[in-house]
């Protein structure tokens, strides 16, 4: 089992989860974080740290969020690791709690943003 970040993180991107992760399993995109399933040690420490309640154990993932298992695995291979917390996105308050944000997912790694 691994933990999975869902669309509740899109356009919010709080990073308290990054600071608590003992395996450095988080990867960062322009408007979303994912967990690398190959690095996750299944400790669950990240779950209570997420103010958006965007992280779930794979076995407890809601049916409508099952696609995020593949999204996390795929993007974790492309995106750089994030090792230190950062401020959330500037307009996170306007996106907090909004449902169905998958269409807003940007598949751009952070390193490409500054290029």
């Amino acid at each position: 089992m691994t933990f999975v970040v869902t669309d509740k993180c899109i356009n919010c991107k709080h990073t308290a989860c990054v600071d608590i992760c003992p395996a450095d399993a988080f990867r960062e995109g322009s408007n979303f974080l994912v967990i690398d399933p190959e690095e996750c040690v299944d400790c669950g420490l990240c779950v209570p740290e997420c103010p958006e309640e965007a992280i779930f154990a794979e076995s407890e993932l809601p049916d409508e969020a099952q696609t995020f298992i593949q999204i996390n695995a795929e993007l974790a291979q492309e995106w750089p690791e994030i090792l230190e917390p950062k401020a959330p996105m500037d307009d996170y308050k306007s996106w907090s709690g909004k449902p169905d944000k998958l269409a807003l997912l940007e598949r751009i790694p952070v390193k490409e943003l500054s290029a």
Side-chain angles (χ1 to χ4, degrees):
M1 181 184 72
T2 188
F3 285 80
V4 178
V5 182
T6 65
D7 66 331
K8 293 179 180 184
C9 179
I10 296 172
N11 285 346
C12 290
K13 206 168 90 167
H14 297 276
T15 58
C17 53
V18 169
D19 201 31
I20 197 77
C21 181
D24 297 333
F26 282 88
R27 306 294 181 259
E28 184 181 17
S30 62
N31 72 339
F32 186 54
L33 299 175
V34 296
I35 295 173
D36 184 338
E38 294 182 23
E39 296 296 326
C40 181
V41 294
D42 307 326
C43 68
L45 293 172
C46 56
V47 175
E49 295 299 314
C50 180
E52 298 299 327
E53 299 179 353
I55 304 172
F56 292 84
E58 185 176 323
S59 63
E60 297 174 6
L61 203 58
D63 288 342
E64 65 274 8
Q66 291 293 314
T67 188
F68 282 92
I69 295 171
Q70 179 60 33
I71 290 170
N72 275 242
E74 175 188 326
L75 295 177
Q77 300 308 306
E78 300 172 16
W79 289 355
E81 62 184 9
I82 175 174
L83 300 175
E84 296 192 17
K86 299 178 181 180
M89 296 187 74
D90 291 340
D91 60 346
Y92 78 91
K93 289 180 183 176
S94 65
W95 292 103
S96 181
K98 301 259 184 196
D100 305 319
K101 296 190 285 184
L102 177 56
L104 303 171
L105 175 60
E106 298 173 358
R107 295 175 173 261
I108 304 167
V110 166
K111 64 184 173 190
E112 290 182 13
L113 294 176
S114 58

